[in-house]
Amino acid sequence: MRLSEPFPATPIQRLDDFLGNQIYIKRDDLFPLSFGGNKARKAVLFFQEIERQNSDAVVTYGSAASNHCRVVANLAAALQCRCLIISPEGANDSFNRQLCAEFGAELIACPLDHVSATIDQTMAFLRAEGSRPFFIPGGGHGNLGTRAYDLVCDEIAGEERRRGLRFDYIFLASGTGTTQAGLICGSQRLGENPRRVVGISIARQLPRGAQVILESVREYRGEGAPEDIVFVDRYIEGGYGQFDDAISKTIRDVMRRHGVPLDPTYTGKAFCGMRRFLQESRVNDKNVLFIHTGGTPIFFDWLEKTR
Ligand SMILES: *Cc1c(COP(=O)(O)O)cnc(C)c1O
């Protein structure tokens, strides 16, 4: 694996119109690395830093179904870097979990309230062994993660030029908010007339969800506050990983009509939320871009659950 090779831009496809809006989807699930997605984009920047610092071990944190942990474990295996993953106990099985083990990551379980202590102990233990460990925050949070999606805005602007249009709205599944922070920074960097970047929360509630995004934007840019952060917590359906029939129906509908797999935890929840938002806010005749942030292994978890 060579991280210095540039990755090609992911495609943007037009889907069916919805309530008079032109809906497009950016297929970041096709980012060509470990089933793609936003975690793959972020991980590339983290591993470039790992190579630069000549680290020989990587430590990160995530839930059992974490896309982030799967991508980190895959890149670590490819680059022959030791990988230690800390997860809360009682984690359910998932394809992402299975892949982490397959890639040879060392999986460490601990009680939820011992996570940060366990991270510290693991880093200290590795250093004591003479290793040079690198810590990646859960979900790829932090400036490098934000940068990944600041840069994606150049891909989006290129597509706008080719198609001769401008996306009025960008929708995405928002978790730690790093991806949304990057899209806000990039849109403002490039546009005189900033578009609306709407994060559909997959778990967090207001005001915290929006506050964390604001902090990410400030930390990344070092000055100035963005206008308003649009973080919608109305469609979380009971919290992280919880989904209802409307979300399952959306996943089936988008798969059948467009051949695009969504998952119930992130993209299916957000796509369903986007449709409801457009309807409830009476958005009409706009160009709308949905960022498909990946998570394909969770689509297969969903298939098993709904069998
Ligand atoms: C992690 C994840 C998100 C959320 O990204 P954040 O940057 O944490 O907000 C969205 N979609 C998928 C598929 C993810 O794995």
Side-chain angles (χ1 to χ4, degrees):
M1 159 121 17
R2 290 180 186 281
L3 293 181
S4 51
E5 268 300 278
F7 285 90
T10 57
I12 292 182
Q13 296 171 314
R14 182 155 175 189
L15 304 182
D16 293 342
D17 292 359
F18 183 75
L19 304 174
N21 297 291
Q22 291 78 56
I23 311 289
Y24 296 79
I25 187 165
K26 181 162 175 66
R27 299 292 306 276
D28 260 13
D29 57 320
L30 301 181
F31 184 77
L33 181 75
S34 195
F35 301 106
N38 62 345
K39 302 313 186 304
R41 280 203 192 263
K42 296 181 194 182
V44 166
L45 301 191
F46 280 101
F47 273 86
Q48 283 171 350
E49 187 60 22
I50 286 169
E51 287 196 329
R52 210 179 58 73
Q53 293 189 15
N54 207 15
S55 294
D56 55 8
V58 59
V59 175
T60 195
Y61 164 75
S63 73
S66 168
N67 293 311
H68 166 72
C69 292
R70 176 245 310 158
V71 172
V72 168
N74 198 165
L75 271 169
L79 299 166
Q80 282 150 6
C81 179
R82 188 172 173 190
C83 179
L84 298 95
I85 292 174
I86 294 153
S87 301
E89 281 169 354
N92 291 326
D93 211 12
S94 70
F95 285 118
N96 278 329
R97 188 72 169 172
Q98 215 174 315
L99 283 163
C100 287
E102 175 68 27
F103 297 134
E106 295 160 60
L107 306 174
I108 303 166
C110 71
L112 190 57
D113 55 350
H114 286 187
V115 165
S116 83
T118 306
I119 291 169
D120 292 346
Q121 282 161 14
T122 306
M123 293 293 284
F125 159 79
L126 289 166
R127 287 196 189 99
E129 277 197 328
S131 169
R132 293 178 303 280
F134 186 97
F135 176 65
I136 304 182
H141 187 61
N143 275 346
L144 287 173
T146 305
R147 178 170 168 74
Y149 276 83
D150 175 12
L151 296 177
V152 164
C153 290
D154 295 310
E155 292 185 15
I156 295 170
E159 189 72 17
E160 287 179 324
R161 280 192 297 276
R162 269 189 296 282
R163 289 182 185 262
L165 58 78
R166 178 160 169 87
F167 295 114
D168 304 296
Y169 284 82
I170 293 180
F171 283 85
L172 75 152
S174 206
T176 67
T178 318
T179 304
Q180 188 174 351
L183 290 167
I184 290 169
C185 291
S187 296
Q188 289 194 340
R189 175 171 59 81
L190 293 169
E192 317 83 66
N193 193 3
R195 57 174 126 250
R196 289 182 90 69
V197 178
V198 183
I200 304 291
S201 176
I202 54 96
R204 279 186 185 161
Q205 287 174 296
L206 288 166
R208 174 163 180 252
Q211 188 58 38
V212 175
I213 296 168
L214 190 59
E215 283 161 16
S216 295
V217 169
R218 289 202 177 124
E219 190 191 323
Y220 182 72
R221 286 205 309 219
E223 36 67 47
E227 297 72 71
D228 47 340
I229 305 280
V230 190
F231 182 85
V232 183
D233 69 354
R234 288 200 296 277
Y235 314 120
I236 55 181
E237 303 303 341
Y240 184 78
Q242 307 287 319
F243 61 99
D244 61 2
D245 288 346
I247 292 172
S248 284
K249 202 161 161 281
T250 302
I251 295 172
R252 288 196 189 93
D253 175 59
V254 174
M255 186 68 209
R256 188 178 295 213
R257 284 167 57 219
H258 304 292
V260 178
L262 303 177
D263 77 89
T265 304
Y266 298 102
T267 55
K269 186 177 272 189
F271 201 92
C272 186
M274 172 182 79
R275 283 179 170 170
R276 289 166 69 179
F277 182 98
L278 291 172
Q279 192 160 25
E280 290 165 13
S281 304
R282 300 177 195 280
V283 177
N284 189 260
D285 197 25
K286 298 290 187 208
N287 292 315
V288 174
L289 180 65
F290 181 82
I291 310 287
H292 191 320
T293 41
T296 302
I298 309 180
F299 167 79
F300 290 100
D301 288 336
W302 171 81
L303 264 191
E304 278 206 337
K305 276 185 203 148
T306 56
R307 202 204 290 264

